[in-house]
């Protein structure tokens, strides 16, 4: 989820590079300025906007359309059933039970943010090999999600990497990391923390590095230790990024998909809302109902974000 | 603000121009065979799930042989790794190859919308088996290349070491045999392949086996409680439940591995897996590759005898169909006819050819000598109704999820027991049945 949102934000970037008018000769400049009509930047935006509309907004519109039909996914015709899909969705509470699984991921994502914050702070000071560590910590985020799923399947196997590792540390118990219904979601959430922690860390790191160095100098002259510097300089300065991370964490944990889908296929009580939606659409041919639940998920995420924005209003942080 | 309006305008523009034309199928002409091979011309695309056969060149070899008979037809293959998923999505357009395998999850009632009729069922059923699996209103829309027997692949050496030489004839005997394997050998008696999930689907193929009833599957349409005692699904899923519940399967089903399981069975570290007879050559190859012996791989029918005789259902594999939008229907049909009758591909797969009167493959010879009743498929009169009930109830007889849950319950990882789960399934089934009937 986070990756997607990031990509979308990156969409209209070429616009900034656009109006680089040549400025060699005054006469030439006059002509070019005349040719640069108001729509010139939009021409550059055309491609990213078309992509955005074609692959984000149109599908969402279509999804709204499907959610009021009983389309089965292949047949060329479908009936309009009005709000029947939504009624069905809300009269079957078992369809919302899967959000309990999201709770595990939510808790894990706070662990993730805390760890990311810690690493980012440590690595923003003069630490030996800090660039190497930055690279190591960010690396998992660059690996393809499918590959991660397969790697961790071996990792969690009985007698697999994790068990051998624990053996070395003197723990000889046999835990079924994916087979035990109490453990499966925690294991999967652990994978997701491992994967996305680096991204959070890089975001925090970027924000921390924008803090002017003289603030630390002044603080250490006043005798502030590292914790006090973090508490009173770093944390307040990067507050917007932290609150963004929390929003992404919550919406991300409501929409967990790829890691559990690849590793367990939603078996053994690891089914999430999105996996359930995919099953409804592609296993039981209820594309209408599945679209309706996707709409509900979208609404839910918007709602959570809105509430959060109300509770923690956006504010400009002044750094001086 | 202006930026917002332009975005909206752009969106509207794209909406207006991108509105797809959902034209109905214009041509519904039949895909008939031409009398003179030299007159058939055109280029056809064949969608296939056998990416391995594209890679090792065996499909190319078939196409070359085909070209000697039909010199003016060009055959191209398109291999799809996720065949079911991709084909189904492509079927929303007109571009899904000329010849394709009918995806399992396309309901039989939709066949006329997507595929060209291949001929009358009265006529085709004289030559081919399993035509009723794709017959709608007397017309056949798909022909299987081959069929396979349902049953259990097992390692003969392991079973022998456990002191079992006879095929089990009841679920109880089967469980006892597995217990003997657990006690006397190092092997895991049964392997569920839970993680890869689709092998769990294969249990459904056995419907009709326990009761030795050619219309066992059709009965589901009218049975309110298919998991009640005495029903086929009770015997099938009950056997799976007991096997797992008695701890006769692998310790951690959530980390199984299909590719590895072939080697494990081939080398005697797994005793048994429920699959189809199509799995035998794959297991033999894996056994040989791992230094074992291909002769160790055996195949037995579902362990429930009716009147003292074991019974197995011969299921058709994927059915070949011609795209209703194809521009080269004659060429497409020529390929299907040649591939089914002349290519010898069914024999190469050690499968039962769909052409009537073909010999049984080697792996099924023991079935003949042991007097196993071979049911030539299931009658398909209620196939559409059953599919509607199945999907309406969200049970998914052809999806692995409900059996994964069964395994979870059996090994104590989910709440409930066999009876409560069966009652739950029955309840869902009969509820959906009422909405379909009414």
């Amino acid at each position: 989820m986070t990756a997607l949102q990031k990509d979308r934000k990156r969409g209209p970037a070429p616009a900034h590079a656009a109006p680089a008018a040549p400025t060699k000769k005054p006469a030439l400049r006059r002509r070019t300025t005349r040719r640069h009509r108001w729509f010139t930047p939009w021409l550059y935006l055309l491609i990213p906007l078309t992509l955005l509309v074609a692959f984000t907004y149109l599908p969402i519109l279509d999804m709204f359309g499907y959610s009021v039909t009983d389309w089965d996914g292949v047949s060329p015709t479908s009936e309009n059933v009005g709000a029947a899909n939504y009624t069905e969705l809300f009269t079957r509470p078992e369809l919302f039970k899967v959000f309990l699984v999201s709770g595990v991921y939510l808790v894990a994502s706070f662990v993730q943010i805390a760890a990311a914050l810690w690493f980012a702070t440590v690595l923003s000071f003069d630490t030996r090999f800090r660039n190497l560590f930055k690279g190591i910590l960010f690396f998992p985020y660059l690996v393809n999600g499918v590959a991660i799923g397969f790697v961790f399947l071996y990792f969690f196997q009985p007698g697999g990497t994790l068990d051998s590792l624990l053996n070395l540390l003197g723990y000889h118990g046999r835990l079924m990391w994916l087979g035990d219904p109490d453990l499966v979601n925690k294991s999967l959430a652990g994978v997701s923390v491992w994967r996305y922690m680096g991204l959070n860390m890089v975001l925090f790191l970027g924000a921390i590095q924008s803090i002017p160095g003289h603030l630390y100098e002044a603080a250490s002259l006043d005798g502030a230790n590292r914790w006090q510097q973090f508490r009173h300089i770093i944390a307040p300065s990067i507050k917007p990024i932290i609150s963004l991370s929390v929003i992404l964490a919550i919406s991300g944990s409501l929409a967990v998909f790829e890691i559990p889908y690849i590793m367990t296929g939603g078996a053994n009580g690891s089914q999430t809302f999105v996996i359930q939606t995919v099953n409804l659409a592609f296993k039981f041919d209820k594309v209408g109902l599945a679209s309706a639940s996707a709409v509900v998920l979208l609404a839910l995420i918007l709602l959570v974000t809105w509430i959060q924005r109300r509770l923690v209003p956006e504010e400009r942080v002044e750094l001086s | 603000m202006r930026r917002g309006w332009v975005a909206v305008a752009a969106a509207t523009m794209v909406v207006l121009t991108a509105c797809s034309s959902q034209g109905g199928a214009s041509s519904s002409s039949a895909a008939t065979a031409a009398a003179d091979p030299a007159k058939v011309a055109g280029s056809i695309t064949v969608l296939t799930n056998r990416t391995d056969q594209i890679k090792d060149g065996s499909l190319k070899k078939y196409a070359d042989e085909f070209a000697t008979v039909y010199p003016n037809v060009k055959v191209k293959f398109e291999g799809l790794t996720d065949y079911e998923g991709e084909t189904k999505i492509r079927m929303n357009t007109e571009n899904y190859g000329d010849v394709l395998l009918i995806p399992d999850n396309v309901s039989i009632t939709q066949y006329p919308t997507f595929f060209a009729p291949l001929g009358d069922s009265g006529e085709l059923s004289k030559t081919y088996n399993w035509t009723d699996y794709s017959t709608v209103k007397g017309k056949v829309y798909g022909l299987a290349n081959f069929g396979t027997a349902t049953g259990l692949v097992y390692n003969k050496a392991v079973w022998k070491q456990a002191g079992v030489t006879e095929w089990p004839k009841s679920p109880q005997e089967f469980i006892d045999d597995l217990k003997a394997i657990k006690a006397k050998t190092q092997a895991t008696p049964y392997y569920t392949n839970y993680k890869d999930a689709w092998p769990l689907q294969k249990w459904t193929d056995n419907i009709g086996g326990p009761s030795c009833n050619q219309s066992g599957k059709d009965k589901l349409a009218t049975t309110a409680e298919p998991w009640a005692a005495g029903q086929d699904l009770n015997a099938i899923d009950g056997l799976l439940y007991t096997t797992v519940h008695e701890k006769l399967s692998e310790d951690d089903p959530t980390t199984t591995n299909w590719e590895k399981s072939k080697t494990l069975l081939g080398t005697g570290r797994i005793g048994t897996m429920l699959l189809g007879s199509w799995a035998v050559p794959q297991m033999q190859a894996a056994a040989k590759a791992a230094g074992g012996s291909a002769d160790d791989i055996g195949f037995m029918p579902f362990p429930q005898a009716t009147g003292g005789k074991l019974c197995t259902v011969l299921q058709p594999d994927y059915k070949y169909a011609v795209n209703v939008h194809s521009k080269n229907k004659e060429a497409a049909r020529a390929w299907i006819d040649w591939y089914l009758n002349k290519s010898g591909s069914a024999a190469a797969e050690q499968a039962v050819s769909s052409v009537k009167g073909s010999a049984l493959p080697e792996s099924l010879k023991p079935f003949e000598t042991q007097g196993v009743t071979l049911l030539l498929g299931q009658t398909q009169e209620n196939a559409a109704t059953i599919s509607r009930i199945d999907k309406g109830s969200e049970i998914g007889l052809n999806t692995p999820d409900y059996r994964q849950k069964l395994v979870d319950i059996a090994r104590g990882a989910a709440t409930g027991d066999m009876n409560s789960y069966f009652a739950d399934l029955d309840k869902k089934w009969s509820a959906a049945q009422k909405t379909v009937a009414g």
Side-chain angles (χ1 to χ4, degrees):
Chain A
M1 207 59 205
T2 48
L4 272 178
Q5 280 162 347
K6 243 189 89 211
D7 284 345
R8 277 181 213 151
K9 289 236 171 68
R10 218 183 281 144
H16 301 297
T23 49
K24 270 182 194 159
K25 288 178 186 171
L28 219 157
R29 198 212 308 182
R30 279 192 60 179
R31 240 193 322 182
T32 41
T33 28
R34 219 183 303 140
R35 252 201 259 145
H36 278 207
R37 299 282 164 79
W38 62 269
F39 55 77
T40 315
W42 292 106
L43 280 180
Y44 287 91
L45 274 176
L46 199 63
I47 291 170
L49 274 181
T50 316
L51 290 176
L52 186 69
V53 168
F55 294 108
T56 305
Y57 294 109
L58 274 185
I60 288 179
L61 280 181
D62 262 358
M63 187 176 80
F64 279 109
Y66 291 142
S67 74
V68 292
T69 67
D70 64 351
W71 192 45
D72 64 359
V74 287
S75 95
T77 55
S78 60
E79 294 270 320
N80 193 326
V81 293
N85 285 325
Y86 292 94
T87 332
E88 185 179 349
L89 207 55
F90 286 105
T91 47
R92 286 174 57 188
E94 82 266 17
L95 291 179
F96 286 95
K97 237 192 247 164
V98 286
F99 277 120
L100 289 178
V101 175
S102 298
V104 180
Y105 289 89
L106 189 63
V107 173
S109 63
F110 284 107
V111 174
Q112 175 184 325
I113 290 175
L117 208 50
W118 190 75
F119 279 118
T121 312
V122 169
L123 292 178
S124 67
F125 294 121
D126 259 336
T127 319
R128 197 175 296 194
F129 302 127
R130 54 185 242 183
N131 281 331
L132 176 72
F133 282 117
K134 278 183 211 167
I136 289 174
L137 290 171
F138 186 63
F139 174 69
Y141 180 68
L142 301 174
V143 183
N144 182 299
V146 179
I148 289 179
F150 282 120
V151 168
F152 273 90
L153 271 179
Y154 283 99
F155 184 75
F156 284 130
Q157 242 166 27
T161 321
L162 184 55
D163 282 353
S164 319
L165 210 68
L166 290 176
N167 268 345
L168 284 181
L169 298 175
Y171 178 80
H172 294 287
R174 264 271 174 123
L175 290 173
M176 282 201 275
W177 298 103
L178 296 177
D180 187 333
D182 297 326
L183 263 178
V184 59
N185 286 317
K186 289 164 201 158
S187 307
L188 293 173
V191 177
S192 141
V193 168
W194 180 81
R195 179 162 187 219
Y196 290 108
M197 203 273 288
L199 177 71
N200 275 131
M201 185 198 72
V202 168
L203 289 179
F204 292 146
L205 209 57
I208 291 175
Q209 271 164 2
S210 73
I211 302 170
H214 62 80
L215 286 182
Y216 299 121
E217 265 171 53
S220 54
L221 277 182
D222 286 341
N225 61 21
R226 287 286 196 231
W227 164 248
Q228 282 161 336
Q229 286 181 13
F230 174 79
R231 171 78 186 75
H232 295 287
I233 301 174
I234 297 178
S237 314
I238 64 169
K239 213 172 130 196
I241 294 288
I242 296 178
S243 81
L244 172 76
S245 293
V246 171
I247 290 176
L248 291 182
I250 292 178
S251 61
S253 46
L254 288 176
V256 184
F257 174 64
E258 55 180 22
I259 287 171
Y261 192 73
I262 293 158
M263 290 180 63
T264 65
N268 196 22
S270 63
Q271 196 175 51
T272 65
F273 193 74
V274 183
I275 294 180
Q276 177 180 275
T277 307
V278 168
N279 282 350
L280 281 177
F282 299 110
K283 283 190 177 151
F284 304 119
D285 288 352
K286 297 182 176 178
V287 175
L289 186 62
S291 302
S293 47
V295 171
V296 169
L297 180 66
L298 180 68
L300 216 63
I301 288 176
L302 289 178
L303 182 76
V304 167
T305 314
W306 180 74
I307 292 175
Q308 217 167 6
R309 277 304 193 194
R310 294 307 293 267
L311 293 179
V312 191
E314 199 170 0
E315 51 185 297
R316 285 209 159 271
V317 181
E318 291 298 330
L319 296 174
S320 58
Chain B
M1 211 49 228
R2 218 176 78 195
R3 177 175 297 219
W5 280 114
V6 174
V8 171
T12 337
M13 222 172 69
V14 180
V15 172
L16 291 177
T17 50
C19 263
S20 56
S21 54
Q22 287 245 335
S26 50
S27 56
S28 57
S29 64
T32 42
D36 183 6
K39 285 207 180 114
V40 186
S43 166
I44 57 167
T45 305
V46 180
L47 302 189
T48 175
N49 60 335
R50 295 300 296 268
T51 45
D52 58 325
Q53 290 194 338
I54 292 184
K55 227 182 269 167
D56 69 15
S58 44
L59 276 179
K60 173 94 178 30
K61 225 184 291 161
Y62 290 134
D64 290 344
E65 283 172 40
F66 175 73
T68 60
V69 189
Y70 292 89
N72 299 321
V73 181
K74 230 182 132 243
V75 185
K76 261 195 324 198
F77 296 100
E78 201 175 320
L80 303 168
T81 322
D82 174 19
Y83 184 80
E84 290 274 329
E86 287 182 40
T87 312
K88 204 173 153 188
I89 289 166
R90 276 175 68 168
M91 280 167 65
N92 284 307
T93 69
E94 294 188 0
N95 171 25
Y96 44 96
D98 296 288
V99 175
L100 71 157
L101 312 166
I102 300 179
D104 280 337
N105 50 16
V106 173
S107 166
I108 189 166
T109 47
Q110 295 171 327
Y111 286 7
T113 321
F114 296 109
F115 312 119
L118 302 175
D120 289 323
S121 69
E123 202 61 37
L124 284 168
S125 60
K126 281 184 205 146
T127 326
Y128 301 103
N129 290 323
W130 304 298
T131 49
D132 50 342
Y133 278 74
S134 49
T135 300
V136 183
K137 294 195 184 121
K139 297 261 187 231
V140 178
Y141 289 88
L143 291 171
N145 181 24
F146 59 80
T148 55
T150 58
L152 296 134
V153 188
Y154 68 105
N155 188 305
K156 287 181 194 163
V158 172
W159 281 62
K160 212 176 193 175
Q161 202 189 336
V164 188
T165 46
E166 292 264 306
W167 283 347
K169 291 207 161 161
S170 70
Q172 190 52 50
E173 270 180 54
F174 180 74
I175 297 294
D176 291 342
D177 292 348
L178 290 190
K179 280 182 180 159
I181 292 175
K182 192 177 182 181
K184 292 180 194 161
T185 74
Q186 297 291 311
T188 306
Y190 186 84
Y191 197 73
T192 59
N193 268 313
Y194 175 103
K195 156 70 180 68
D196 287 286
W198 57 264
L200 289 172
Q201 254 157 263
K202 299 293 159 201
W203 286 79
T204 300
D205 294 346
N206 288 285
I207 294 174
S211 57
C212 204
N213 182 355
Q214 186 104 35
S215 43
K217 194 143 198 193
D218 267 345
K219 246 177 68 186
L220 288 177
T222 47
T223 312
E225 298 185 329
W227 280 272
Q231 302 288 347
D232 278 348
L233 277 168
N234 182 285
I236 290 166
D237 287 336
L239 185 65
L240 176 61
Y241 181 92
T242 319
T243 304
V244 178
H245 193 66
E246 299 279 340
K247 303 206 181 310
L248 298 169
S249 56
E250 71 276 9
D251 291 335
D252 185 359
T254 50
T255 50
T256 61
N257 182 328
W258 161 246
E259 287 302 329
K260 216 168 90 189
S261 76
K262 294 194 220 171
T263 314
L264 292 177
L265 187 107
T267 52
R269 273 172 291 162
I270 289 176
T272 321
M273 291 195 267
L274 188 137
L275 293 163
S277 59
W278 52 265
V280 174
Q282 293 194 29
M283 300 294 167
Q284 287 175 335
K288 248 187 274 174
S293 161
D295 296 335
D296 281 347
I297 310 297
F299 192 71
M300 66 166 93
F302 190 85
Q304 179 158 323
T306 312
K309 272 179 95 179
L310 289 163
C311 196
T312 194
V313 184
L314 295 180
Q315 293 274 356
D317 195 68
Y318 273 121
K319 285 142 311 248
Y320 285 80
V322 174
N323 182 348
V324 74
H325 307 289
S326 166
K327 298 212 167 49
N328 296 306
K329 292 204 179 74
E330 238 179 30
R333 179 63 193 274
W335 166 257
I336 294 182
D337 282 351
W338 183 86
Y339 190 64
L340 265 56
N341 289 292
K342 300 275 161 53
S343 72
S345 53
E349 302 261 328
Q350 289 198 42
V352 188
S353 168
S354 68
V355 181
K356 285 199 167 159
S358 306
L360 278 183
E362 196 61 38
S363 58
L364 292 181
K365 285 280 155 61
F367 278 48
E368 276 185 321
T369 54
Q370 300 247 15
V372 176
T373 316
L374 297 176
L375 291 182
L376 207 60
Q378 291 281 321
T379 56
Q380 296 292 317
E381 275 146 35
N382 300 332
T385 317
I386 295 166
S387 150
R388 277 214 299 279
I389 299 175
D390 184 40
K391 292 192 164 158
S393 64
E394 287 171 22
I395 291 174
L397 286 175
N398 288 314
T399 68
D401 304 56
Y402 96 88
R403 279 206 187 88
Q404 285 187 324
K405 177 116 190 265
L406 182 74
V407 171
D408 285 342
I409 294 172
R411 67 195 179 89
T415 52
D417 59 22
M418 184 169 90
N419 291 330
S420 68
Y421 191 51
F422 282 2
D424 187 36
L425 290 170
D426 279 336
K427 207 175 89 194
K428 281 189 193 166
W429 187 268
S430 40
Q433 200 175 38
K434 272 176 210 132
T435 62
V436 167

